[in-house]
Amino acid sequence: MVEAAADDTVVTKKAKPGWGTLLRSLRNPKSGFMLLFGFAQGLPPALFLGTLYAWLSEAEVDLETMGVFSLVGLAYAFQFLWSPLLDKVDIPGLRRLGKRKQWIAPMQLIIGIALVVMAGLDPKSALATFSLLAAIGAFASATQDIGINAWRIDVADEVATLDILSTITQMGFRLASLVGGAFGLIMADRYGWPFVYVLFGGFMLAIGFAALFAPDARVSGDRAANAAVADAEVAELYNVGEVTEKVRNRALLAVGVLWTWAIGTVVVFMVRSMTAAPENRPDVTEFTTFYGPLIVLATIVLPAFIAAWVVKQQREGRHVIVAAPGVGAGHGVKFTDHLYRALVQPLTEFVGRMGWSLMLILALVLTYRITDSVWGVFAYPFYLGELGFTGEDVAFASKILGIIAILLGLAIGGWMITKLGRMFMLTFGAVIAAATNLLYADLAVGGARMQAASDAIGFTALVNGMAGWLQPLFFVAAPPSEGLARLAFTIFWENLAIGIAGAAYIAWLSSIVAKRYAATQFALLASLTLLIGTLGRGALGQMIEERGYYYVFIFTALIGVVAVVLCALEWAREARAGRRSGVVQPDPYAGEAVAAE
């Protein structure tokens, strides 16, 4: 396995596998900043999309009005629409902070300010201002996510490795979800919602201040110098062998129309939702379910085919520049050139580098998380309706023990990556993620095996003891349900598998993008992860009604086998790519690099 250097050239590195690599990574300051950034990524969604509804309910805001607040989720769902800005646009006055920090730190400060100001408002009497602040905070949160994902890829090195940084960011994210979710509710009961939002707003302001000291790729504060660099990059489009301006403009027009439609669709929907009467207000879930896949198709899938056409023209020598006129001789730097560099070039770079392997990459991205993402919306109906557990049982098993399991899985996964390699863990993660669906299948028919296994290893006693100890903390008077142990046992092992698989998946996804286009390429690929779940939920709901949960879990486990096969093929592809580039080792931790003969 090889990694891209800062200039996108392929390099090898020597690294001692195991605890030595892990400890060196954790001692690096980049790891500490990564934990802070991961926490900053996980906290706002919990506050803007989760606990916020509890505050609104307590303030007696009606359900129809609450529906407007679900619009803030669109910022996270479609954040890739403005991801090209973070790759190609510098913020005046903030350029000196660094390429990524100029976006990250201000967004974190905006989130913190929004939370603190929201704490001073009454949601019912100042609903318009309250909802506007929530929307601003969510947009800033989604924007910092783009920047942080790109920052992780940019700063990774042989000490603070990409694999370890990817694991740490997931741990910070999950920890923030626990703090902002379960603990946020506890503190709100004791101290009130204004206290909670001031406290968490202070956290975000502190992280935003700390971000100023994080390492990053430097960007000159000289406007003329930055313009010259951008113009020089654009001038590369006119080199001999590049496609002609006519071909570029055709590709840009097609991609531009698709992106304009996608952005316009989202904007029109948001305007309708905020201005229409409650009875005529469109449903966010229906919009995301129907238009979400179409928007992804318009901004990712179809542009990828357009990019492939451009790459094909260039490789076949058709419609290419045969004599460069030189900078300023017959061609100036045009606005369309900058647009092409922002919208189309990240795709042509990716398609040109991957070739036909891109089909394998996309298939793996679409299927890797399918076993848990496709049925996630049916989890609570399964726990509460089908199995009859109480809300307290589910909160303990999924929100407390489940988060602990994910954090443990991430820690185990991060260490195992350093020992066994990224691609081995990616494949292993797909195996265990698929296998845990069989645990749910047993739970769906009574959970006798889950109960027996829980009793055998002492898990039942542990769960009952923890639930009893946490009762006063959560103000729960009822004792744990009789079947809580088998529910917690199943959720624990599934979330442990999700943590292990998630560490490997984010590391792999980060490794296949080019640093030059990290923000755009990562955001586009990450959006595809959710696509298959959105597409499949309708059919899955119908299957649940017709066949029941047991058959659905067997079916999703079989689908997971597809991801396992694709992981094996991707492992083989990367090993071949390493050998072709003159590197024998298939993974940076599998041993020292040796030049191929």
Side-chain angles (χ1 to χ4, degrees), residues 303-565:
F305 281 105
I306 295 169
W309 173 76
V310 173
V311 171
K312 185 173 184 292
Q313 300 298 309
Q314 185 177 9
R315 288 185 173 175
E316 294 180 354
R318 293 188 296 173
H319 307 293
V320 297
I321 298 172
V322 295
V327 178
H331 75 83
V333 175
K334 302 180 179 66
F335 177 69
T336 53
D337 293 333
H338 286 290
L339 281 180
Y340 180 87
R341 195 168 60 99
L343 287 180
V344 183
Q345 209 165 19
L347 291 171
T348 58
E349 188 281 334
F350 196 64
V351 172
R353 176 160 49 90
M354 293 297 178
W356 284 105
S357 299
L358 179 62
M359 305 303 294
L360 173 61
I361 299 291
L362 295 180
L364 181 52
V365 168
L366 286 169
T367 58
Y368 192 79
R369 299 303 300 272
I370 191 173
T371 53
D372 58 275
S373 66
V374 74
W375 90 278
V377 295
F378 304 106
Y380 285 108
F382 176 62
Y383 300 145
L384 301 173
E386 181 76 8
L387 301 181
F389 286 101
T390 66
E392 289 82 3
D393 292 333
V394 175
F396 168 76
S398 64
K399 298 300 183 183
I400 303 297
L401 201 59
I403 293 294
I404 293 173
I406 287 180
L407 292 174
L408 182 60
L410 287 167
I412 294 173
W415 174 76
M416 292 180 71
I417 288 174
T418 67
K419 196 70 176 177
L420 302 173
R422 182 188 301 151
M423 291 311 301
F424 174 86
M425 289 307 301
L426 186 73
T427 308
F428 177 70
V431 171
I432 59 177
T436 52
N437 282 262
L438 301 178
L439 306 185
Y440 277 95
D442 180 74
L443 194 64
V445 293
R449 294 183 180 86
M450 296 300 97
Q451 186 67 54
S454 179
D455 294 342
I457 66 173
F459 193 85
T460 301
L462 175 65
V463 166
N464 290 334
M466 286 183 63
W469 177 73
L470 289 172
Q471 274 184 353
L473 185 62
F474 285 94
F475 306 100
V476 177
S481 299
E482 180 183 354
L484 176 60
R486 59 176 173 265
L487 174 68
F489 182 83
T490 305
I491 290 177
F492 179 87
W493 290 108
E494 185 212 23
N495 284 14
L496 187 74
I498 288 175
I500 293 173
Y505 179 68
I506 296 300
W508 170 76
L509 203 62
S510 301
S511 72
I512 63 175
V513 303
K515 287 189 176 184
R516 189 175 183 181
Y517 308 104
T520 303
Q521 291 181 355
F522 188 92
L524 291 175
L525 289 173
S527 68
L528 288 175
T529 303
L530 304 176
L531 175 61
I532 196 67
T534 302
L535 291 174
R537 283 169 192 157
L540 196 69
Q542 183 177 355
M543 184 183 297
I544 290 173
E545 291 182 356
E546 295 178 354
R547 304 296 299 272
Y549 281 98
Y550 174 81
Y551 290 99
V552 166
F553 289 125
I554 298 296
F555 176 69
T556 52
L558 293 175
I559 293 177
V561 175
V562 176
V564 174
V565 173

Side-chain angles (χ1 to χ4, degrees), residues 75-140:
Y76 297 98
F78 302 119
Q79 59 181 259
F80 60 89
L81 291 177
W82 61 92
S83 61
L85 293 177
L86 277 72
D87 269 333
K88 297 303 178 186
V89 176
D90 294 325
I91 303 176
L94 299 178
R95 296 183 180 94
R96 291 187 183 276
L97 292 178
K99 183 178 181 180
R100 306 304 180 186
K101 282 164 50 183
Q102 65 176 324
W103 289 94
I104 295 172
M107 294 302 111
Q108 291 171 342
L109 295 175
I110 289 172
I111 296 167
I113 293 171
L115 292 172
V116 171
V117 176
M118 287 172 69
L121 299 175
D122 176 18
K124 192 169 186 178
S125 61
L127 189 61
T129 304
F130 199 82
S131 59
L132 177 62
L133 288 169
I136 292 173
F139 179 81

